[in-house]
Amino acid sequence: MRPFSFSIRKQFYRLNVNFTDCIQIITKKEVVAKIGINISTGSLQKEEIIVGIDLGTTNSLVAIIHPDNKQPVALKEHDSSSLVPSVIHFDEQGNITVGNEAKRFLVTEPQQTIFSVKRLMGKSYNDIRERSSFFTYKVIDDNTESLVKIQAGNKFYSPVELSSYILKELKHRAEHILKTPVTRAVITVPAYFNDAQRQATRDAGKLAGLDVLRIVNEPTAASLAYGLGLNKEESKTVAVYDLGGGTFDISILRIAGGIFEVLSTNGDTYLGGDDFDQAIVDYWVGQTGITREELQLHKQVAQSFRLKAEEAKRFLSTANAFTSEIAGTPVHLTREKFEELIRPFVDRTIVCCTKALKDAGLSVTDIDEIVMVGGTTRVPLIKESIGQFFGKKVHDDVNPDEVVALGAAIQADILAGNNKDLLLLDITPLSLGIETMGGLMDILIPRNSKIPSKAGRQYTTQKDGQSGMRISVFQGERDLVKDNRKLAEFNLTGIPGMPAGLPKVEVSFLINADGILSVTAKELRSGVSQTVEVKPQYGLTDAEVEKMLLDSITHAKEDMQSRALVEAQTEAKQIMETTSQFLSRNASLLSTEEIEVTQNAIAVLNAVMESGNKDMIQEKIEALNDISRPYAERVMDQAISKVMSGKSIKGSI
Ligand code: AMP
C-alpha cells in the first residue's frame, strides 16, 4: 500500500504566475530536529503534560498518563462519563455549546445542531453528495471541489472550525481537572484519513490553542493501549476491529521495531451501533402496530423508541432478556432475537475483514492479535463472531470507548521523552509547503513528520495557455505565506498551451535521511519537469523555531479568518468568471430577464468582494449559485436533448 504521506489530494489548486528565479538556502538543523515547546511560556519544556485526544465521530475524549502510577487514564469530572458527545449547538445569539448539553438539541433544533463533523473533515461537497441527506443541518452545496462549509444561522463554518470547538471543550475539561494549562496534544485520526484530512485535524487543534505534536492512527493508538509495539524486539501482525455508533473500520497493522505500518484498511462509514438500534425500533414498530409514517410524523415518539432501543441493546450485552414500556406500550426483546436482528450487520463487517486481509496479502492465520475498539464491540455476538473468524480470543479488557484516547496518551508520553527507547525519530520541526492562489500556504509535509519523508500533490493552471508556473517553497505554520519563511522559488516553464485547469502539475517534496529537501514539479500531460535541491548552509536557532510555532498558535484565529476570506474571494472570482462565460456562450438560450438577474447577482457579489466579510461573500456566492443553477441545468438538458435528436447545438457549458 502507498504510505499515506504520499497520498494525492483530489482537488486541484491554482498557483500564482510570476517569473523570478531565486533559491534560498537552509541547514539540516532547520529541516530536522526533535523539539518540544511550552506554548504558554514560549520556552522549551519537557515536563508539561501532553494529552492524548480521540476526536471521534460520535464521542470525543481526552486522556493522560497519570503522573503517580504512570498508567493511562481518561479524564472525567467526578462521576460523569469520560465521553464528550461530538455535537455542537449554536443558539440564536451565536452562543456555542458542546457535548451533552448540545446533544439535547439534536431533535428540537436540527438545523442549529452539528454532529458527525468528522465525516466532513477535508471533504468537498462532491465527496459527500450521495450522503447529503444524512446531515440534518445545512451543508453548502456549491457544486465544486472546494471544501465543504456548514451554515448555522447566518454564519458559515468550516469543519476545521467546528472540530476546534470540540477540541477546545476537551482542552478546557482537561485544564479544569488537572488544574494546569494544557497546550500540547496528540490527536488520533482513522488510518484511512488522507493528508487533507490529517492537515484539517492539525489545523483544528491549532485553532483550539493546541500544539499538535503528532497525528496518530487510531488503530496504532488502540494497539499501544494493549501494550502492543511497546517492546521493540517484538514483531506482530494486528487486526484492529473498530465498531462505533455510526462507523466501522478494520485495520491490519504490522508492528516491528517500534514502527507501526498500516498494511490495509477497510470498513463501512455508515455502519454501527445506530443500525442495531434502528433494527430494534423496526422490530418493535412491527409488533406494536404503529406505522413508520406515524413515527416520522411524531419525532418525540420516534426519539423515545430510539432511546429505548439503545437501552435494550446495552442491557442485552450482559443479560438475556429486556422488558420495558414506551408511553404505556410494553416492549420486550430477548438476546436471541436481538442477535438474529443484527446478524446481517455482523456479517457485513466480516466481509470487510476478509477484504482487508486480502489487500494486505495475508490470511487469518497470519494475524497474531485482535484488538476491539468502539462501544458496539461490547455486544457479545460481535466478540464471539470476530474471535471465531480470526480463530483467536480478542483483546477486550480495556474500555473500548477509551482505548484509542488511552493509546494516544501513551504516544504523548513517548513524545514527552518519558520512554526514550521508543519512536524517537528525526522529525521536521516546521511544516513545509508551497504558495497557492491568494498567497495561501499549502502544506505538503506537516511539522513533526518523520524523515526521510516524501509527499506530493497535484496543482493546475489559472489562465488559458499559461506556459509557466512559479513554485515558491515555504516553511512555517502560518496560513498565509507572507508570515512564513521562504526557502526556495523556481519556475516550471514549457507547459504546452492548454485551457486553464487542464495541465496537471505534480509537486513532490522529498526530505532525505540527511534532511535535505528536494522539490520537483512535473507537468504530467507533457512530461516537462524541474527539480530544485534546498541545500543546507545556515539555520534557524531553536528560539526562532519556537517563536514561529508560538506565533502560529497565537495567531491561529486570525490566520483562519484570513484563509477563509481568501478562499471565499477566490471562489467568488471563479464563480463570477465561469458564470460570465456561461452567459456569453449561452445568451441565445436564456431570456433577457434571466441574463439581467444573473448579471445583477454577479454585480452584487463583485461589490462585496473587498468587504472583508467572508460570510457576506459566501452568502452572495450562494445567491448567484441559486440563480444560475437552474439555467445551467436547463441549458444542459436542452443540449442533451438536441444531441439526442441528432441536431447540433450553439451554446456550450
Ligand atoms: P462509539 O462511537 O465508539 O462511541 O460507540 C458508541 C456506540 O456503542 C453506540 O451505538 C452505543 O449504543 C454503543 N454501546 C455503548 N455501550 C454499549 C453496550 N454496553 N452494549 C452495546 N452497545 C453499546
Side-chain angles (χ1 to χ4, degrees), residues 58-59 83 242-246 273-274 277 310 313-314 317 374-376 378-379 400-401:
T58 322
N59 293 304
L83 304 181
D242 181 348
L243 188 60
D274 298 348
D277 304 344
E310 195 196 356
K313 172 186 74 176
R314 288 170 183 259
S317 289
T376 306
R378 289 198 180 90
V379 173
D401 291 321

Side-chain angles (χ1 to χ4, degrees), residues 73-289:
V73 55
L75 297 179
K76 54 177 151 190
E77 310 255 15
H78 309 294
D79 293 340
S80 68
S81 160
S82 58
L83 304 181
V84 175
S86 306
V87 182
I88 306 139
H89 173 256
F90 297 91
D91 73 9
E92 299 285 305
Q93 289 74 42
N95 298 316
I96 301 166
T97 46
V98 174
N100 277 314
E101 222 177 299
K103 203 175 164 183
R104 291 191 290 122
F105 294 100
L106 275 174
V107 178
T108 50
E109 292 181 30
Q111 296 257 342
Q112 303 284 110
T113 315
I114 318 294
F115 62 94
S116 273
V117 63
K118 187 172 175 178
R119 294 181 191 276
L120 301 173
M121 288 292 259
K123 294 277 176 83
S124 71
Y125 186 79
N126 283 346
D127 291 330
I128 56 143
R129 179 184 301 280
E130 281 170 23
R131 290 288 182 169
S132 57
S133 60
F134 172 84
F135 302 96
T136 48
Y137 46 89
K138 190 161 183 210
V139 182
I140 298 301
D141 163 14
D142 60 3
N143 203 19
T144 68
E145 281 295 322
S146 51
L147 300 177
V148 292
K149 282 167 265 349
I150 291 101
Q151 187 174 9
N154 55 1
K155 285 210 150 207
F156 295 84
Y157 300 89
S158 67
V160 169
E161 264 172 299
L162 295 168
S163 300
S164 83
Y165 296 134
I166 302 171
L167 290 169
K168 251 187 216 158
E169 175 69 24
L170 295 172
K171 179 179 185 299
H172 287 154
R173 170 183 272 236
E175 287 174 338
H176 189 241
I177 296 169
L178 299 171
K179 311 230 175 324
T180 174
V182 169
T183 54
R184 297 196 290 168
V186 165
I187 305 180
T188 58
V189 295
Y192 59 78
F193 256 29
N194 64 22
D195 72 344
Q197 293 169 300
R198 285 165 198 266
Q199 188 54 44
T201 308
R202 269 179 190 278
D203 288 347
K206 194 161 80 175
L207 204 55
L210 289 167
D211 179 16
V212 182
L213 295 189
R214 188 76 53 96
I215 295 287
V216 179
N217 287 326
E218 286 161 10
T220 298
S223 305
L224 277 173
Y226 277 102
L228 302 169
L230 287 174
N231 175 358
K232 264 187 114 179
E233 312 306 311
E234 163 185 270
S235 147
K236 290 225 152 123
T237 309
V238 182
V240 181
Y241 180 99
D242 181 348
L243 188 60
T247 57
F248 168 63
D249 296 314
I250 172 78
S251 314
I252 312 288
L253 306 184
R254 164 131 333 123
I255 310 176
I259 305 281
F260 292 70
E261 188 189 356
V262 180
L263 298 181
S264 66
T265 62
N266 206 290
D268 188 328
T269 40
Y270 291 87
L271 171 63
D274 298 348
D275 297 299
F276 296 8
D277 304 344
Q278 191 57 45
I280 300 173
V281 172
D282 290 347
Y283 170 65
W284 281 342
V285 165
Q287 285 199 324
T288 50

Side-chain angles (χ1 to χ4, degrees), residues 252 254 263-264 354-363 366:
I252 312 288
R254 164 131 333 123
L263 298 181
S264 66
T354 312
K355 285 187 188 154
L357 281 172
K358 185 162 172 272
D359 289 348
L362 300 175
S363 66
D366 295 315

Side-chain angles (χ1 to χ4, degrees), residues 482-494:
K482 72 177 177 50
D483 299 316
N484 290 329
R485 186 161 186 263
K486 189 189 272 178
L487 299 180
E489 190 165 76
F490 66 99
N491 295 317
L492 176 67
T493 51

